[in-house]
Amino acid sequence: MKYLNNIKISFLSGAKRILLTTLSCSALVSCDNWVNDTILPSNTVEESQLGSLGMLGSIVDKNYVGGPVIAGVWRAGSSASSSLLVASGAIVDEISSTAVPNSQFYKELDDDKLSPDDLTLYSSWSAIQNYRARAEDAIALVATVKVVNPNADTDLIKNKALFNARLHAGYAWMMLADYFSVSNTQRSVYVNGALVSHSDAYGKAQKYWEDALSGASAQEQRLLHSLLAKLGIHSGNYTLASAHIDQTFQAKENFQFINTVNTASNAFFTALNVNVRDAAVDATLVSALKTTAEKARVPVVKLPKGIGL
């Protein structure tokens, strides 16, 4: 190190050479001290602390507040979902190629540069796998946490942590099956070194959510029923969807999906709804719309370049 320093400063004057050499040595000393006498930040979680109840959550004003482990699962879920939203082309103005496409995935597909080891795909794949792993780790952690003096609060913390972990584990498995496949002919995904079929992945999501029902509040149960109905629709299991749809909505409630272009409702995409990310409009359809009435009846509208719905 001294040899390199001497080479670096050999062109300097004597006074500057002494000054820089001194600075270099002091920097090395400070580094050595930092390595040898490490002091962890006050907010660092040690591995030995992961088995404590506080990692799962606490009770504040009689309400459950998720701890670092559960907060980490939620954060992983938000990262995975947002990554998949962009990578999948859910921003739907890409029905034909534009100069400034919203989705990097679409751009690479259009340029014929998409490959299995593509960074866009890999980052999305990595994010969803991290989400699944953290949720399943949290489920395992709940079972291992030991409480010295169990009471109603400690039981509530464990139950709510388990509900959250199962909720997210199910959602991660559903998204894996929704978005990824080994090939066009092999509808499977690799998880923990094993090949898991889409049907088995959907089955894991269903199992996690059904297990979560027993420890859920009335509002949480309603959420789980809606997710199970959604899962049935996604997987084509309409028996599952119909079994949970009645518990999803209360009397006199209904729902609708509205897709818009700027502030105007776009009936074309609203009709496509859940499959809108896969929409492809034939150019001949657009060219066939000649009159004002035809264009009003089939409102195929494309946004300006680079602007999403």
Side-chain angles (χ1 to χ4, degrees):
M1 189 65 178
K2 288 181 179 178
Y3 176 73
L4 293 177
N5 283 338
N6 287 338
I7 291 176
K8 287 181 182 178
I9 62 175
S10 60
F11 61 92
L12 298 174
S13 65
K16 290 182 179 179
R17 182 183 297 117
I18 294 172
L19 175 61
L20 287 181
T21 304
T22 303
L23 287 174
S24 298
C25 292
S26 63
L28 288 173
V29 171
S30 64
C31 288
D32 289 342
N33 286 341
W34 178 77
V35 171
N36 295 329
D37 303 319
T38 56
I39 299 176
L40 292 175
S42 59
N43 63 345
T44 298
V45 177
E46 297 179 5
E47 187 175 355
S48 60
Q49 295 176 287
L50 287 176
S52 67
L53 190 67
M55 292 295 102
L56 299 179
S58 58
I59 302 299
V60 179
D61 295 331
K62 299 182 179 181
N63 295 313
Y64 168 76
V65 177
V69 168
I70 301 303
V73 174
W74 277 91
R75 183 179 180 85
S78 64
S79 297
S81 298
S82 59
S83 175
L84 289 174
L85 176 70
V86 175
S88 68
I91 303 173
V92 295
D93 68 330
E94 305 305 329
I95 54 177
S96 62
S97 180
T98 63
V100 188
N102 277 321
S103 170
Q104 183 66 18
F105 176 88
Y106 270 6
K107 183 179 188 303
E108 291 158 4
L109 187 65
D110 184 61
D111 294 342
D112 197 22
K113 295 179 180 178
L114 196 62
S115 63
D117 58 351
D118 178 83
L119 291 179
T120 301
L121 292 179
Y122 182 78
S123 63
S124 299
W125 169 253
S126 180
I128 187 63
Q129 287 284 15
N130 176 57
Y131 178 32
R132 175 202 56 77
R134 296 190 76 158
E136 293 186 325
D137 283 348
I139 293 172
L141 181 62
V142 173
T144 61
V145 167
K146 293 180 175 57
V147 181
V148 178
N149 298 309
N151 53 48
D153 281 355
T154 59
D155 289 344
L156 180 60
I157 291 171
K158 293 186 73 172
N159 288 338
K160 289 301 182 185
L162 187 58
F163 162 78
N164 277 272
R166 284 172 170 167
L167 171 71
H168 287 280
Y171 205 75
W173 275 105
M174 185 180 73
M175 288 201 296
L176 275 172
D178 277 350
Y179 285 90
F180 294 99
S181 188
V182 171
S183 68
N184 287 333
T185 57
Q186 191 169 18
R187 301 300 185 181
S188 305
V189 290
Y190 279 107
V191 179
N192 289 334
L195 200 61
V196 181
S197 68
H198 280 185
S199 60
D200 286 346
Y202 284 131
K204 288 178 181 291
Q206 180 179 345
K207 181 69 164 57
Y208 277 127
W209 287 338
E210 288 176 342
D211 288 347
L213 279 168
S214 60
S217 66
Q219 182 178 3
E220 290 166 346
Q221 286 181 353
R222 192 178 178 195
L223 169 62
L224 289 167
H225 284 303
S226 68
L227 287 171
L228 285 162
K230 176 185 177 75
L231 175 64
I233 295 170
H234 277 221
S235 60
N237 185 350
Y238 299 111
T239 301
L240 176 66
S242 61
H244 292 276
I245 197 73
D246 288 339
Q247 295 99 316
T248 301
F249 300 101
Q250 296 176 351
K252 298 182 180 180
E253 284 185 334
N254 57 24
F255 69 97
Q256 62 179 332
F257 296 93
I258 299 176
N259 293 277
T260 61
V261 174
N262 292 335
T263 58
S265 175
N266 187 324
F268 181 81
F269 288 123
T270 298
L272 290 174
N273 192 23
V274 71
N275 297 316
V276 74
R277 71 169 189 260
D278 301 318
V281 179
D282 195 311
T284 56
L285 169 63
V286 179
S287 63
L289 302 176
K290 302 295 185 183
T291 67
T292 302
E294 288 173 338
K295 293 178 181 179
R297 286 175 63 86
V298 188
V300 181
V301 180
K302 189 170 113 175
L303 288 182
K305 295 175 182 179
I307 300 177
L309 296 184

